[in-house]
Amino acid sequence: MFAIFCKRIFRVPRKDYYIFVAQQFGAKQYADVLVRSCSSSVCENVSENKSFTISSYLVNSCGLSPNQAVSVSKKVCFNFESPEKPDAVLKLLREYGFKDAHISRIITKWPKVLLIRCPNKTLLPKLQFFHSIGVPLPVLAQKLSLQPYILTRSLENFIRPLYNLLKGLLGSDERVVHAFMRSPRFFGRCCSERISSNIAILRERGVPQSTIVSFAVQHPCLLVDVKERLASYVDRAVEMGFDVSKCAFILAVRLFFELTESTLKHKMEVYRRCGWTESDINSAFLKHPLCMSLSEKKITANMDFLVNTLGYKPAAIAQHPVLLSLSLEKRIKSRCLVARALNDKGLKKMASMTTMLKMPEEKFLNQYIVKYENDMPELLDIYLGKLKSSCGLNLSPVV
């Protein structure tokens, strides 16, 4: 009998099959079979009117584009029965400063947010918590729209324990908020137990409390890495000669965290081609670890200008590797033009080019432009690139 029944089923067309199942087993079982068995195209045909309504709602109420709305509607088409639930979610988000752009971004990344049954019991306490510790509402909307999965975490079992750990480590809500603003995904992917374990690893290796605090505030994601990897990064930095109490140590660990070994080797090879020895590479890395994060194009362009135009020796640049991080057009060339113009007019003798290039912006403007604006009012235009200086750039640097 069962074999005969199966033959009867598989002889009918697909559409008639679903109607047959509905008649035989009832509407609920029909929906279950439909969810398990139908393809996306069949789903669209069966729920055409419903999907159209959902798509319209997503466009008109949530700010999604038509293409985004179609994509999201396919993910919620069997649960989205009325606008009552999503209306409640949208109302709550807007009360907490979420604009249409934030809301559309959240829904695109996390469509099921619209299906939350009781947003006042699930979403509201988390929003209230972040605002209560000092996260401004505009910032909260921006960060949560980028990392909406934070809102899927339990407030009592995940978010609050993490906050308590960070508050104990950093000492104030202001610093916890700063860590949240700097790396919101930190609050969605890590747990307090892992952070505690990694902090213990750092302390075992003699890393002082001040440096651990800097890790948490500036690069919190380092504290959620696998503890064996974090230990290897710290050990490598120490073996290279980094002082665990200095900022350069943190930057070195960050570089090891972000870059693969093959990438690091490639950057070292680029520097070798530019004339650096192994000693130069090690010296530059110890002074300014971020020189290894620069692109090959930027390294070669800056090295070429500093060596072939300004007359630096490659080894001298290794003693001041921060020069390679500066903008060639907006910083190095523009400042050199100003310095040469002043020198040619006899207003300011060429001093250390390195000091001048590394000088903070405000200090440079005061000492090289404002101070001489009556004698050379065109200096600012030269600096901003609006006026070409007649002088060349064949300078002999005083390092």
Side-chain angles (χ1 to χ4, degrees), residues 208-306:
Q209 182 74 4
S210 59
T211 301
I212 296 175
V213 169
S214 295
F215 269 117
V217 174
Q218 299 174 19
H219 310 290
C221 286
L222 291 173
L223 294 181
V224 299
D225 198 13
V226 176
K227 63 180 182 180
E228 290 79 11
R229 283 206 298 262
L230 178 61
S232 69
Y233 301 152
V234 172
D235 291 342
R236 183 175 181 181
V238 171
E239 289 171 3
M240 291 184 67
F242 284 97
D243 184 338
V244 295
S245 66
K246 302 298 184 181
C247 179
F249 167 76
I250 300 174
L251 295 177
V253 174
R254 172 188 154 190
L255 259 294
F256 296 144
F257 172 78
E258 294 179 345
L259 303 182
T260 64
E261 188 64 27
S262 61
T263 299
L264 280 171
K265 289 181 178 179
H266 175 69
K267 296 296 176 65
M268 292 178 184
E269 181 57 34
V270 172
Y271 283 118
R272 290 188 192 99
R273 295 200 304 265
C274 291
W276 280 7
T277 64
E278 295 303 314
S279 177
D280 291 333
I281 293 173
N282 293 334
S283 174
F285 190 44
L286 284 171
K287 291 176 181 292
H288 184 59
L290 294 183
C291 68
M292 290 298 171
S293 67
L294 303 175
S295 68
E296 180 177 353
K297 181 179 179 181
K298 184 172 182 63
I299 293 170
T300 54
N302 280 27
M303 287 286 283
D304 177 70
F305 185 83
L306 292 170

Side-chain angles (χ1 to χ4, degrees), residues 12 18 23 39 97 104 142 183 192 195 226-227 230 254 288 303 319 357 367 381:
V12 298
Y18 291 117
Q23 292 172 344
S39 65
S104 64
Q142 179 193 17
S183 183
S192 55
I195 295 176
V226 176
K227 63 180 182 180
L230 178 61
R254 172 188 154 190
H288 184 59
M303 287 286 283
Q319 296 303 310
L357 292 175
Q367 291 192 9
D381 285 340

Side-chain angles (χ1 to χ4, degrees), residues 31-212:
D32 293 339
V33 171
L34 192 61
V35 171
R36 291 194 304 269
S37 305
C38 71
S39 65
S40 60
S41 60
V42 174
C43 175
E44 290 171 6
N45 290 333
V46 172
S47 305
E48 182 176 355
N49 293 332
K50 190 173 185 180
S51 294
F52 176 78
T53 302
I54 294 172
S55 296
S56 299
Y57 180 89
L58 293 172
V59 172
N60 298 327
S61 299
C62 305
L64 272 67
S65 69
N67 289 337
Q68 290 173 327
V70 170
S71 176
V72 171
S73 67
K74 291 178 181 178
K75 299 175 183 178
V76 297
C77 64
F78 286 105
N79 301 291
F80 200 135
E81 297 176 354
S82 74
E84 183 178 356
K85 292 178 186 177
D87 278 350
V89 172
L90 297 181
K91 180 176 181 294
L92 175 60
L93 292 176
R94 289 190 170 113
E95 287 175 352
Y96 271 78
F98 287 75
K99 306 300 183 183
D100 286 348
H102 300 135
I103 291 172
S104 64
R105 192 180 298 127
I106 287 178
I107 294 172
T108 302
K109 293 184 176 183
W110 181 33
K112 290 184 179 180
V113 67
L114 294 174
L115 306 178
I116 293 177
R117 293 181 178 276
C118 301
N120 286 338
K121 292 182 179 180
T122 54
L123 292 181
L124 179 58
K126 299 168 190 176
L127 295 173
Q128 288 176 329
F129 173 79
F130 281 110
H131 187 45
S132 71
I133 66 174
V135 181
L137 291 184
V139 173
L140 185 62
Q142 179 193 17
K143 300 303 180 182
L144 290 182
S145 68
L146 295 174
Q147 299 292 332
Y149 303 108
I150 296 172
L151 295 173
T152 68
R153 296 293 194 173
S154 166
L155 176 60
E156 297 303 324
N157 298 328
F158 189 92
I159 296 176
R160 197 180 294 277
L162 177 59
Y163 161 76
N164 291 333
L165 174 64
L166 290 175
K167 177 71 175 291
L169 175 66
L170 303 179
S172 69
D173 282 345
E174 288 78 10
R175 284 188 167 186
V176 175
V177 170
H178 182 78
F180 172 79
M181 293 168 63
R182 190 173 184 89
S183 183
R185 66 174 182 167
F186 177 72
F187 286 77
R189 61 178 286 195
C190 71
C191 60
S192 55
E193 291 82 4
R194 174 170 286 190
I195 295 176
S196 297
S197 176
N198 282 343
I199 289 175
I201 286 175
L202 293 173
R203 286 176 175 153
E204 289 171 2
R205 283 156 173 77
V207 179
Q209 182 74 4
S210 59
T211 301
I212 296 175

Side-chain angles (χ1 to χ4, degrees), residues 369-381:
I369 294 179
V370 175
K371 185 177 180 179
Y372 300 99
E373 61 183 353
N374 291 331
D375 300 298
M376 290 189 68
E378 70 272 22
L379 278 177
L380 183 59
D381 285 340

